[in-house]
Amino acid sequence: MPSPVSHLDKYYTPPATALELVRAFESHTIHSVADGACGDGSLLLAAESHFTNITCRGVDIDISTVRQLRNKHPHWLVSTADMLNPRSRNAIPASKLTHDAVLLNPPFSLHTRKFVTETLNHEPIKCSIAMAHILANISTFKPRHGLSAIVPESLMYSETDHAARQALSHSHTIRITKELRNTTFSGARANSLILHVTPKSELHPPEPHLPLIWPNMPTCIVTRGGLPLHEAQYSRGGIPLIHSTDISLLGLGRLPKRNVRPIRRGQVTGIVVLLPRVGLPTDSAIRVHCLSRNAQLSDCVIALAFSSKQAASTLVRALRTDHKILQRLYRGTGARYVTISRLVQTLVELGARPQVDDASS
């Protein structure tokens, strides 16, 4: 039996979005579809309307939900189980049998927990609850043509799911097929994606690459600010403090008015491009700044320092004109944010040689 829960995520999939998940399998012959968090059955219903003569298997932790589905769709194979409880999911009739496809809209929220532990190939992995459902559905239903799921955007970019993404990528290809609006689900505001996870025996279109903007590989020093505002010690004899709210003012030629006693982490000078750590920057905020004296960055600012204004200007033009670069950088299920590792990877793809300031590591 499933373990008791005090709260269930119940944001059901709109029909149009459900159909987009189903269409990921249009090029295959589909006879059986499973959903390990079936809720109101919208994903299975979309599959049944799109493919003919298919077997629909659904699993949900909520007994009353399963009872309603059985009454409404008596030809479906619906079970009550907790997919994150190995003993419970192994009791599902026909578990471990291969299905053609899995459709999934798993719970997003961890509530008070920071992670859950799920197994892949008998190895325990700490991950988010959405990733845990993906791993559990793949190991339980063994979809021969893969899994199509709605997931929180953070699943593809957070440190929480880094180990799970790496482990899963050994046997599967993980591909984002669509970014959903944060208004997709009624009553919730969450940035989410449609993810297609397929066995590596399947053929996939190549991933698009970022355009190379620097042919001569300039060096770029990446510095993350380290001074929390609540710890700042203001001093007339100190150095200027640059917070995320100051970036736009600098672009207008206004110098920060606050001077602080500096700390070792997060000092910059020279030719820099400043980015907020949280919140997608506007085009007007993305500029080249020439700092004539040392400045202290708050912990909400990241600086990219270049030896030439030309190299810095090339990056600014790319960030302003090619929005997919910023979209790769700033991710998150709630507020969008950038990490040092994601920033470094993007700079490498664009043709730079990034070096992380030792004090920013």
Side-chain angles (χ1 to χ4, degrees), residues 214-244:
W214 290 296
N216 298 321
M217 296 186 66
T219 298
C220 172
I221 307 298
V222 180
T223 302
R224 175 178 170 177
L227 182 61
L229 284 186
H230 68 275
E231 295 181 6
Q233 298 181 30
Y234 297 100
S235 168
R236 288 185 179 181
I239 64 176
L241 171 67
I242 300 177
H243 186 52
S244 54

Side-chain angles (χ1 to χ4, degrees), residues 56-343:
C56 291
R57 179 174 297 282
V59 177
D60 200 272
I61 195 172
D62 190 345
I63 296 174
S64 62
T65 296
V66 170
R67 187 181 300 117
Q68 292 173 22
L69 285 177
R70 285 173 175 168
N71 291 335
K72 194 172 182 179
H73 305 282
H75 56 292
W76 289 3
L77 306 174
V78 188
S79 307
T80 304
D82 180 357
M83 288 296 293
L84 301 191
N85 181 323
R87 187 174 179 179
S88 178
R89 67 176 181 244
N90 287 339
I92 299 170
S95 67
K96 304 299 182 183
L97 292 182
T98 299
H99 290 68
D100 288 323
V102 166
L103 304 171
L104 193 62
N105 177 8
F108 284 15
S109 176
L110 279 166
H111 305 301
T112 58
R113 294 177 295 178
K114 292 185 178 180
F115 59 84
V116 295
T117 301
E118 187 50 62
T119 58
L120 182 66
N121 298 325
H122 308 292
E123 293 292 330
I125 300 174
K126 293 179 179 179
C127 58
S128 69
I129 192 168
M131 177 62 86
H133 274 273
I134 288 178
L135 301 182
N137 273 262
I138 287 176
S139 62
T140 301
F141 300 119
K142 302 186 182 303
R144 58 170 58 90
H145 298 307
L147 172 148
S148 187
I150 298 170
V151 300
E153 187 177 83
S154 58
L155 181 142
M156 285 298 291
Y157 304 98
S158 69
E159 291 299 319
T160 301
D161 285 322
H162 177 73
R165 290 194 301 269
Q166 280 198 321
L168 187 58
S169 66
H170 292 315
S171 56
H172 289 72
T173 298
I174 307 171
R175 185 163 53 93
I176 298 170
T177 59
K178 185 172 184 179
E179 298 184 0
L180 299 175
R181 295 180 179 179
N182 66 359
T183 55
T184 297
F185 298 97
S186 177
R189 289 293 182 271
N191 298 316
S192 54
L193 311 166
I194 294 180
L195 209 65
H196 199 45
V197 182
T198 49
K200 286 200 169 176
S201 56
E202 295 276 319
L203 297 176
H204 322 282
E207 287 288 331
H209 293 285
L210 292 178
L212 190 70
I213 64 171
W214 290 296
N216 298 321
M217 296 186 66
T219 298
C220 172
I221 307 298
V222 180
T223 302
R224 175 178 170 177
L227 182 61
L229 284 186
H230 68 275
E231 295 181 6
Q233 298 181 30
Y234 297 100
S235 168
R236 288 185 179 181
I239 64 176
L241 171 67
I242 300 177
H243 186 52
S244 54
T245 54
D246 298 314
I247 297 177
S248 295
L249 295 178
L250 278 171
L252 298 174
R254 302 178 190 173
L255 294 176
K257 297 180 179 180
R258 295 170 292 186
N259 282 9
V260 296
R261 185 177 299 172
I263 64 172
R264 178 173 177 270
R265 180 177 174 181
Q267 291 186 46
V268 293
T269 188
I271 301 168
V272 296
V273 177
L274 301 175
L275 298 174
R277 188 169 57 84
V278 179
L280 199 66
T282 60
D283 286 352
S284 60
I286 304 173
R287 292 174 175 268
V288 178
H289 304 283
C290 297
L291 303 178
S292 58
R293 57 177 295 198
N294 267 3
Q296 175 70 60
L297 302 181
S298 82
D299 60 354
C300 294
V301 178
I302 298 174
L304 308 178
F306 294 87
S307 59
S308 74
K309 191 172 181 179
Q310 181 182 359
S313 298
T314 299
L315 176 64
V316 168
R317 285 195 299 272
L319 293 178
R320 286 183 172 185
T321 58
D322 195 340
H323 289 281
K324 68 172 175 284
I325 300 176
L326 279 178
Q327 289 169 0
R328 283 197 183 192
L329 286 175
Y330 288 84
R331 297 288 185 174
T333 305
R336 296 182 183 274
Y337 63 94
V338 63
T339 64
I340 295 296
S341 61
R342 195 153 65 237
L343 183 55

Side-chain angles (χ1 to χ4, degrees), residues 18-83:
L19 189 57
E20 291 194 64
L21 269 68
V22 170
R23 284 175 175 160
F25 301 102
E26 280 185 326
S27 60
H28 302 286
T29 301
I30 301 298
H31 297 294
S32 60
V33 174
D35 181 352
C38 62
D40 68 345
S42 54
L43 296 180
L44 295 177
L45 192 62
E48 191 175 53
S49 65
H50 200 75
F51 301 111
T52 57
N53 300 320
I54 65 168
T55 298
C56 291
R57 179 174 297 282
V59 177
D60 200 272
I61 195 172
D62 190 345
I63 296 174
S64 62
T65 296
V66 170
R67 187 181 300 117
Q68 292 173 22
L69 285 177
R70 285 173 175 168
N71 291 335
K72 194 172 182 179
H73 305 282
H75 56 292
W76 289 3
L77 306 174
V78 188
S79 307
T80 304
D82 180 357
M83 288 296 293

